Amino acid sequence: MLDKTYDPADIEPRLYEGWEKSGAFKAGRNAGGEPFTIVIPPPNVTGSLHMGHALNNTLQDILCRFERMRGRDVLWQPGTDHAGIATQMVVERQLAQSGENVSRRELGREEFVRRIWAWKEVSGGTITRQLRRLGASCDWSRERFTMDDGLSAAVRRVFVTLYKEGLIYKDKRLVNWDPHFLTAISDLEVESRETKGKMWHIRYPVEDSEESIVVATTRPETMLGDSGVAVHPDDERYTNLVGKSVILPLTGRRIPIVADNYSDPEKGTGAVKITPAHDFNDFEVGKRHDLEQIAVLDVHAHIVDADFIPAAYRGLDRFEARKKIVGDLEAQGFLVEIKDHVLMQPYGDRSGVVIEPMLTDQWYVDAATLAKPAIAAVEQGDTSFVPKNWDKTYFEWMRNIQPWCVSRQLWWGHQIPAWYGPDGHVFVEETAEAAQAAATAHYGQETALTRDEDVLDTWFSSALWPFSTLGWPEETDVLKRRYKTDVLVTGFDIIFFWVARMMMMGLHFMKEVPFHTVYIHALVRDEKGQKMSKSKGNVIDPLDLIDRFGADALRFTLAAMAAQGRDIKLATQRVEGYRNFATKLWNAARFCEMNECRLAPGFAPAAAGHTINRWVLGEAERVTAAVVDALETYRFNEAAGAVYQFVWGTFCDWYLELIKPLLNGEDEAVKAETRATAAHVLDRILVLLHPFMPFITEELWRKMAEGAAVTRETDLVLAPWPVADAGLADPAADAEVGWVIGLVTEIRALRAEANVPAGARLDLVLVAADADVRARVGTHGDLISRLARLESIAFADAAPKGSVQLVVAGTTAALALGDVIDLAAERKRLEKEIGKAEQDLAKIEAKLANPAFTAKAPPEVIEEQQERREAALQTRGKLSDALARLIASL
RNA sequence: GGGCGCGUAGCUCAGUGGGAGAGCACUACGUUGACAUCGUAGGGGUCGCUGGUUCAAUCCCAGCCGCGCCCA
């Protein structure tokens, strides 16, 4: 006997462990099936499960479980990435707090990296453990890590190949420099934040002239590195100055005034100082006019100790330098004006410090070249986005892609396979030995080499994930069988990180796209629509929800809310609601169990005879088809909605109620058929619901088999998905059961409205019933009585005096209320009903009276309207009769 | 400034060229041994505004207003 309530905490961990141990999630288990492959977007090894992960992985799991049941050979490839900066940060912090009080530099590279690995062994499995709690059916036996030997080999192969193809090169360009971590970071790790700042107007005297030009800047300290002043070529205020020079205050350097479109006459003074070594725009302007690149900040963002810098500023932090420079400019009369100014300032998303554009030597990938085939692939539809319009974002980014800086000044990551000779000549090879051999050949003798200290951007290895995890560069069978993979499921904020880079690398090295579909899901926000963030304190922890409501409830909530193209505003109440849904299902199963509804051997739905059973079997097929259709097109919310409605609204609310009299009845044949049908439909529900709520369904699947004459071939996780059989639809049964439901509903409504005590049993009289109605009452009279709390059902030509009347599907039904009836209230009710019917009728008639409508509307629409008019007329007529009789009896 | 998207019941959101929906919240009443994590019933919406296309617009188109996100 099932417990009275379902306790997820008790069941979920046990079931998951069982699935994993039994190898249910293993790829290749069903080697004959068509492969279905998803690579997980690798979470950060330092991470823990947040709501975004919960959504992302729930959707992947739904697809995987669905396809696994449909007979595909599913591989959900799990793993994590090594998250260069984040991981290094964690371990550095640990070092600082451990009492050892050593920095990583004191520790040395080798020892520091060893410590990181040690940390990873102990703490790196957090998120994968949490994914298990969510129920994710990953093939853990194939778990990968971007720093694994195999994946590292892939990284080296890719780097060397691209280098030899000229698609990776070393260059001196401006990068986003993080002065806290002392490394370059990517554009995508930079967050622009609106900051209140100032706009300083500074007068630069023109050489050999009384004139001067006023420039406006938000960063006065960089004037130490100015190498020009730009004005717009059409700006008449300055035309006469172009070609002349100014003398830079404080340093006395002489720099040219140039004409360049970059300068905006509307902004500031229309004249702008150019610091090519410290600003991305200025860098471009500088290149156009051949201006000097003068670096004035060091890696810590302190003013460099150089001859051309006045001694007073050397070594100052950039913000102190600003204060001092502004003060000195003012003292010397060069400061014209200070205005408040709101600017977008770049911050490192991990360090939180202001990012400094810095001129450094870095390794770059020629992303523009790699992007071309990646753009074409989406244009041709080799890969498509769902929802489709995300391709615009992809195209936009890909078509404006910049060289990708892939080197990082970190110790944790794939060290760049480049070695330098004494003269700085570089040898890029997969191994030290190969590099040495190349050097020997180059120099004509053994020559000592030093390896490049830097490591690669974490995303460089993530970009290879769809093929490196399958074994590349080895030509493994798995790789051949499973590349390209099927679908990448990810959030839109990650299109640039994963999708774009996986596309570029996949196409270049595999000559084929990495996945045919990219499903982009929404962001999970809090219930007010705010992005969840630690600083706002509005984070909802998915693990907390799992503890409170169960993983099934959380998963179902996320799926039900995952409508395409809309963010999810998550309210805890919703999760609670779906927990209630799980309980509802549990109790329905409990009812079946108590009534001995067990699977019957050889049960053939098509052979079922009883109308109610035929009806529910048809509905079960309908919902099966709806779920399949929705999941095949990634409409998770529709699939979830369809099952929910069927389970609660159809199976529990009506079917189980309708069969109670049958189960308690005398007809053993009907009883047996009904039990088998109920069990069959419950079974179907468990299957349909399993991708969404794997735990409770598996538990019930096993429980329901106890005592049944049918033995389960497999656990539910591997059970075959049913093929929907449209042939089971039975319109006659639908009409009949629909009539019963309608009658019961109307009587209940009337009772409530007329304030009939809930316990009172009423006498029902059906007025002028035709043969159909009489037959239906003959079949279903008992259950109508039961569901509508009737004492008796009788037939008559006219409604008895003092009864209230209602019209259901063309039949007038009269309820004898005796003394209970409140005639005035009843009259009001009837008048209201008639009013409604008339309103309805008026709309329909207006439409039908319009000649343009009858001339142009499709026939089926016209016919439908005519039918609706008939029905409305009939209802109005009968209601009017009822009212007339009521008035007569007053 | 460029791009994407959103304004539907008190709240959170589905939805559709032809009868406005769900969940939650709210109100009333609770019976019938699956379920009070429940049942039955009820109230509640000029589908942001203005035009246009159409026989017909909440849905398609244009403009406007309000809001959000991404990029510069």
Side-chain angles (χ1 to χ4, degrees), chain A residues 703-746:
Chain A
K703 295 268 192 200
M704 298 317 289
E706 290 168 14
V710 173
T711 44
R712 300 283 198 204
E713 304 268 326
T714 67
D715 286 338
L716 179 55
V717 66
L718 298 177
W721 190 268
V723 179
D725 180 0
L728 289 178
D730 182 346
D734 292 349
E736 190 166 324
V737 175
W739 182 83
V740 172
I741 289 174
L743 181 62
V744 170
T745 305
E746 289 293 330

Side-chain angles (χ1 to χ4, degrees), chain A residues 200-206 211-217 229-231 237-238 241 246 257 263 267-273 333-337:
Chain A
W200 286 271
H201 290 210
I202 308 169
R203 189 166 54 82
Y204 284 5
V206 176
E211 284 183 281
S212 61
I213 187 164
V214 176
V215 298
T217 179
V229 169
V231 296
R237 290 175 294 178
Y238 301 117
L241 294 179
V246 297
I257 299 170
S263 179
K267 256 164 104 177
T269 61
V272 59
K273 63 194 245 352
F334 292 110
L335 190 62
V336 178
E337 196 178 5

Side-chain angles (χ1 to χ4, degrees), chain A residues 223-224 247-254 308-310 313:
Chain A
M223 68 172 291
L224 299 174
I247 300 299
L248 206 50
L250 307 183
T251 62
R253 274 194 296 113
R254 176 177 170 275
F308 66 92
I309 306 271
Y313 306 123

Side-chain angles (χ1 to χ4, degrees), chain A residues 481-492:
Chain A
R481 180 165 159 77
R482 297 194 179 268
Y483 192 93
K484 64 195 169 191
T485 70
D486 287 273
V487 50
L488 183 77
V489 177
T490 186
F492 65 83

Side-chain angles (χ1 to χ4, degrees), chain A residues 766-795:
Chain A
L766 292 167
V767 181
D770 60 18
D772 265 2
V773 170
R774 284 171 190 266
R776 282 170 180 177
V777 170
T779 318
H780 306 295
D782 281 356
L783 64 92
I784 293 169
S785 296
R786 179 192 170 106
L787 296 177
R789 293 296 283 173
L790 300 176
E791 182 63 37
S792 68
I793 303 179
F795 299 99

Side-chain angles (χ1 to χ4, degrees), chain A residues 273 382 518 527 571 873:
Chain A
K273 63 194 245 352
D382 296 341
V518 178
E527 52 192 311
L873 273 172

Side-chain angles (χ1 to χ4, degrees), chain A residues 355-431:
Chain A
I355 293 304
E356 197 58 52
M358 200 75 91
L359 205 54
T360 57
D361 280 310
Q362 302 283 350
W363 289 93
Y364 287 90
V365 169
D366 178 356
T369 300
L370 291 176
K372 277 185 192 127
I375 293 166
V378 174
E379 283 170 342
Q380 291 158 20
D382 296 341
T383 293
S384 38
F385 283 83
V386 178
K388 188 172 179 321
N389 48 345
W390 284 111
D391 63 9
K392 289 194 184 114
T393 305
Y394 172 85
F395 287 138
E396 176 66 19
W397 195 71
M398 284 296 232
R399 286 172 183 153
N400 297 299
I401 199 162
Q402 297 297 309
W404 174 16
C405 174
V406 291
S407 41
R408 296 289 182 272
Q409 287 64 51
L410 304 172
W411 286 352
W412 176 238
H414 302 100
Q415 193 172 354
I416 293 174
W419 284 262
Y420 302 97
D423 58 351
H425 191 277
V426 64
F427 302 91
V428 174
E429 298 293 344
E430 287 183 45
T431 61

Side-chain angles (χ1 to χ4, degrees), chain A residues 837 839-849 853 864-870 872:
Chain A
Q839 242 178 24
D840 209 25
L841 195 59
K843 266 197 236 167
I844 301 164
E845 297 211 302
K847 200 173 263 187
L848 284 168
F853 173 73
E864 193 192 330
Q865 294 299 320
Q866 282 164 341
E867 278 163 18
R868 286 187 53 213
R869 176 171 61 182
E870 285 313 305

